[in-house]
Amino acid sequence: MQDSKKRKAENGKDNDTNKKLKGPKQWRVPKKSKADATYAAAPNIEPGDSGIWATCEMHREGKCTGELRDLFNEYAERLYPRLMNDQDAGEKDEDDGKVDIEADISKEIEGMRHPTGKPLFQPVRIDIRCGTSVNDAEADLVLFFKTRAPVEPVSFVHRICTDAAGSVGSKKNRWVKRLSPMTLMGKATEKGLEEVTKRVLAPHFHQEGNPARKFAIRTTIRNHTTLTRDVVIKQVADAVGKPHTVDLHGYDLLIVVEIYQSICGMSVVGSDFDTLKRYNLAEIYDPRPKAEGL
């Protein structure tokens, strides 16, 4: 009798289980982290891109990205007011129309599937550290923002830094450190470097009427083993050519080359690069020398 009751009980459990299985499946949606939301649908860095490298403290990339968004948008409104006003006018025209919730939802979904325009600044998710060692606990994290016309990275960053230099002591950004504008990105190979060099240097050194310039070259190479510093400097210096001459300290123009992993970027900045603390906002806002042992 007891065995019979036991078998009935087990069959009852099986029936309950089958009933549960017959209902609709409940899928668990994984929660997205803040980092995933910050970098949602961010593009990769491709040859031909332009943009701005930035550094921040480890584990502060989310906050730093937010600061950079606000900072870049603020200066875009200052420097390109017509563009920003046109965008605002377009949004206002849409708001003035009759509200149609279903149409708005359909339009938003379609815009997600087939975006019609790109923002001026797009953060790109990468995993690069810079410091004495990539495993150094004090190492900074490297971020990258893609830019598009009419933003010109060098003049854009220069304006930010000159304004910061004029307001020393009134620090506006807590997490952002160095900004490094890149006029053009390419592949970190000898051929890729050659292509980038030709396009970036031409307006400054090779156009008719350009005067003879004193120049210097500074390179940063991280997480990369194909191109060495000596190879990069020689290739770029040969591309500059005569009548221009090298002057490491009294340069008129400084050629900045940044290589990270498989990516190579280049820009030409002015003679006030060192005066502006190499475009390091943290040092511009707080120029006091660090005490020994700190």
Side-chain angles (χ1 to χ4, degrees), residues 165 251 270-279 284:
Y251 57 83
S271 58
D272 59 353
F273 181 71
D274 289 303
T275 304
L276 292 174
K277 307 296 182 182
R278 297 176 299 153
Y279 296 167
I284 291 174

Side-chain angles (χ1 to χ4, degrees), residues 10-231:
E10 289 176 352
N11 290 335
K13 290 181 181 178
D14 291 340
N15 291 334
D16 291 341
T17 301
N18 291 332
K19 288 179 181 178
K20 291 179 181 179
L21 291 175
K22 290 180 180 179
K25 292 183 179 179
Q26 300 295 324
W27 299 103
R28 287 188 177 182
V29 179
K31 294 181 179 180
K32 291 185 178 181
S33 67
K34 291 183 179 180
D36 291 334
T38 301
Y39 295 105
N44 295 321
I45 303 175
E46 303 289 345
D49 287 340
S50 62
I52 301 170
W53 291 107
T55 60
C56 69
E57 294 180 8
M58 284 293 295
H59 311 302
R60 303 295 183 184
E61 56 269 29
K63 293 181 178 180
C64 182
T65 299
E67 280 191 350
L68 287 170
R69 284 182 191 273
D70 293 341
L71 179 65
F72 291 166
N73 286 330
E74 175 188 342
Y75 272 84
E77 291 177 358
R78 292 189 195 180
L79 301 177
Y80 319 112
R82 183 175 179 180
L83 175 65
M84 304 305 287
N85 289 337
D86 288 345
Q87 291 181 354
D88 292 341
E91 293 175 0
K92 185 176 180 181
D93 291 340
E94 292 179 0
D95 294 338
D96 290 342
K98 190 175 180 179
V99 177
D100 187 335
I101 297 177
E102 292 184 1
D104 287 344
I105 294 175
S106 298
K107 185 176 181 181
E108 184 174 349
I109 294 174
E110 184 65 20
M112 293 171 64
R113 292 175 178 169
H114 305 287
T116 56
K118 294 181 180 179
L120 292 178
F121 311 98
Q122 289 182 289
V124 179
R125 186 174 186 177
I126 54 179
D127 184 18
I128 300 175
R129 301 180 186 182
C130 64
T132 55
S133 169
V134 294
N135 297 318
D136 188 352
E138 301 298 323
D140 289 336
L141 192 73
V142 181
L143 310 174
F144 188 78
F145 269 76
K146 269 182 149 181
T147 61
R148 70 169 178 85
V151 177
E152 198 290 304
V154 173
S155 60
F156 188 80
V157 169
H158 184 266
R159 174 64 181 273
I160 292 174
C161 292
T162 52
D163 286 354
S167 59
V168 173
S170 57
K171 187 174 182 179
K172 296 181 179 179
N173 307 103
R174 182 176 181 183
W175 308 111
V176 181
K177 290 189 174 182
R178 183 187 173 194
L179 299 178
S180 186
M182 293 286 104
T183 300
L184 186 66
M185 309 298 291
K187 294 182 179 180
T189 62
E190 289 192 18
K191 184 178 180 180
L193 178 61
E194 179 183 356
E195 293 172 350
V196 170
T197 299
K198 184 182 297 185
R199 292 178 59 182
V200 173
L201 299 187
H204 305 279
F205 297 99
H206 302 146
Q207 286 187 348
E208 186 177 353
N210 280 348
R213 302 289 187 96
K214 293 180 291 184
F215 72 95
I217 303 169
R218 292 187 189 173
T219 62
T220 300
I221 300 177
R222 303 287 183 189
N223 301 9
H224 176 84
T225 57
T226 303
L227 297 174
T228 65
R229 181 175 177 273
D230 291 341
V231 168

